[in-house]
Amino acid sequence: MVELCRVDDRMLHGQVAVTWVNQVAPDAILIANDEAATNEMSKLAFKMAKPAGVKLAIKTVKDAAVLLNDPRTKKTRIFLIVRTVQDALELAKATGNQITTVNIGGVKKKEGSRQVAANVHMDDADIDALRELNSLVDKVEIQMVPSESKTDVKKII
């Protein structure tokens, strides 16, 4: 069961490993990103950042969808972390209604993007994917850390 899906271009780092894991209280963290799943250095860094007592899986987006659709994971509290809105959208489409809440965290500036919130930059393709994602899940919110107030994504799309 996906407790929370977080979009964060750094994926698993100190802020996520400490504050968000404490907030979500997952049994497992699932990092879904094609590049991370095939990069041994990234996998090692994520394994080192993983909090004790929490399982970690690093999968391609396609393999993450297979894992989330496996009936054996239904009783596992999963904190799903993706790098892009497009990854979140692909998983929301592939897993039915398993993803209900999406948290947008840090999304760095890239060519053609604009700042839509503090520490969140998106281009037109990201905004289009965000609109579609918002139509598939219950809530999409922007929030860097749990102690900050949430911003409903509808305010920026």
Side-chain angles (χ1 to χ4, degrees), residues 30-148:
L30 173 57
I31 295 175
N33 179 265
D34 294 348
E35 180 185 342
T38 58
N39 183 314
E40 293 303 318
M41 288 297 287
S42 291
K43 289 197 281 191
L44 180 61
F46 294 141
K47 288 174 184 174
M48 291 172 59
K50 176 194 79 67
V54 180
K55 295 175 186 171
L56 174 67
I58 305 163
K59 303 283 186 185
T60 64
V61 173
K62 183 178 179 178
D63 288 345
V66 170
L67 181 66
L68 291 171
N69 286 322
D70 186 324
R72 293 174 291 184
T73 64
K74 298 299 178 237
K75 293 182 180 175
T76 303
R77 294 174 51 90
I78 297 172
F79 180 19
L80 174 61
I81 304 172
V82 298
R83 181 172 278 159
T84 68
V85 174
Q86 288 82 357
D87 287 349
L89 175 60
E90 187 175 337
L91 285 166
K93 287 179 177 178
T95 60
N97 62 354
Q98 291 188 58
I99 298 172
T100 58
T101 304
V102 177
N103 165 266
I104 308 290
V107 180
K108 67 184 172 194
K109 188 175 185 175
K110 60 186 175 189
E111 189 172 329
S113 68
R114 61 188 180 279
Q115 186 171 356
V116 297
N119 299 307
V120 178
H121 298 80
M122 296 192 173
D123 61 18
D124 291 339
D126 295 330
I127 297 292
D128 289 344
L130 199 55
R131 283 186 185 110
E132 187 174 355
L133 179 62
N134 191 56
S135 73
L136 296 174
V137 301
D138 295 342
K139 291 186 286 187
V140 181
E141 302 163 330
I142 298 171
Q143 186 182 30
M144 288 298 293
V145 292
S147 61
E148 287 182 355

Side-chain angles (χ1 to χ4, degrees), residues 5-52:
C5 174
R6 178 171 169 90
V7 177
D8 188 320
D9 60 21
R10 296 185 297 161
M11 294 184 282
L12 185 58
H13 53 89
Q15 181 176 285
V16 171
V18 176
T19 60
W20 282 105
V21 168
N22 286 338
Q23 178 76 17
V24 177
D27 299 316
I29 297 170
L30 173 57
I31 295 175
N33 179 265
D34 294 348
E35 180 185 342
T38 58
N39 183 314
E40 293 303 318
M41 288 297 287
S42 291
K43 289 197 281 191
L44 180 61
F46 294 141
K47 288 174 184 174
M48 291 172 59
K50 176 194 79 67

